[in-house]
């Protein structure tokens, strides 16, 4: 085979490189359309922890104890425990009277917000529950256990409600 010389070899090498570069650009374009960005998932607030000192936590505490009979006769302890505390008031009626004295009582108001304490004068100790925010409440003493009722008239002699907060 005859010797083609250095110039021809260089030309052939350049042509081969140019062809390879053209193929690369065809296979892998220099500009690309950006890939679509996935939408961020909606931010969902974590569920409240029972007895975490919030209205939602107080409701969760009661929901988790539905059917529990160990709080019969201890409604004040139940609502305090639901708010993450205990031993604040000796009875539901004392809690109500404290709310009245502090200016936090809403006498006769049947629209308590979620987590509010709701009170009845059904005995010398009274009765207390936690409002669900929809006209009902959670309490002990619902058919002999912790439960839920859709109406504040479940017990007689409704007194009213006091602010949803950790009892103090």
């Amino acid at each position: 085979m005859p010797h083609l010389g250095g110039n021809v070899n260089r030309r052939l090498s350049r042509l081969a490189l140019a062809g390879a570069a053209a193929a690369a650009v065809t296979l892998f374009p220099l500009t690309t359309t950006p890939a679509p960005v996935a939408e961020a998932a909606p931010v969902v607030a974590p569920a409240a922890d029972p007895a975490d000192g919030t209205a939602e936590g107080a409701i969760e505490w009661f929901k988790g104890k539905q059917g529990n009979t160990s709080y019969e006769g201890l409604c004040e302890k139940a609502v305090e425990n639901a708010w993450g505390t205990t031993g604040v008031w000796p009875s539901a009626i004392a809690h109500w009277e404290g709310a009245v004295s502090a200016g936090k009582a809403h006498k006769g108001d049947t629209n308590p917000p979620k987590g509010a304490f709701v009170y009845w004068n059904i005995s010398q100790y009274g009765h207390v529950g936690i409002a669900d925010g929809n006209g009902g409440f959670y309490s002990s003493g619902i058919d002999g256990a912790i439960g839920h009722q859709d109406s504040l008239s479940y017990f007689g002699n409704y007194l009213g409600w006091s602010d949803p907060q950790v009892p103090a």
Side-chain angles (χ1 to χ4, degrees):
M1 180 167 209
H3 178 54
L4 296 175
N7 284 340
V8 173
N9 282 336
R10 276 187 287 246
R11 283 187 196 150
L12 287 176
S13 294
R14 284 186 197 147
L15 283 174
L17 287 173
V25 169
T26 303
L27 293 174
F28 303 103
L30 296 176
T31 59
T32 60
T33 304
V37 177
E39 289 186 33
V43 175
V44 177
D49 290 325
D52 68 358
T54 66
E56 292 79 14
I59 298 294
E60 287 303 312
W61 185 93
F62 270 101
K63 285 180 177 179
K65 298 221 180 305
Q66 288 194 81
N68 183 319
T69 59
S70 67
Y71 284 87
E72 281 309 288
L74 301 171
C75 60
E76 179 63 30
K77 181 178 181 179
V79 299
E80 288 183 20
N81 287 179
W83 273 92
T85 190
T86 195
V88 178
W89 297 100
S91 68
I93 204 71
H95 191 172
W96 171 250
E97 290 167 355
V100 170
S101 295
K104 295 181 179 184
H106 302 268
K107 294 179 182 180
D109 185 339
T110 56
N111 295 304
K114 182 188 246 181
F117 299 98
V118 287
Y119 306 87
W120 296 265
N121 188 5
I122 60 172
S123 72
Q124 73 183 48
Y125 302 108
H127 190 73
V128 63
I130 298 288
D132 66 8
N134 295 312
F137 68 96
Y138 292 90
S139 178
S140 61
I142 308 290
D143 296 325
I146 286 180
H148 178 264
Q149 280 297 312
D150 292 328
S151 172
L152 296 171
S153 63
Y154 179 79
F155 297 112
N157 299 314
Y158 177 71
L159 295 170
W161 61 272
S162 67
D163 298 342
Q165 63 183 10
V166 174

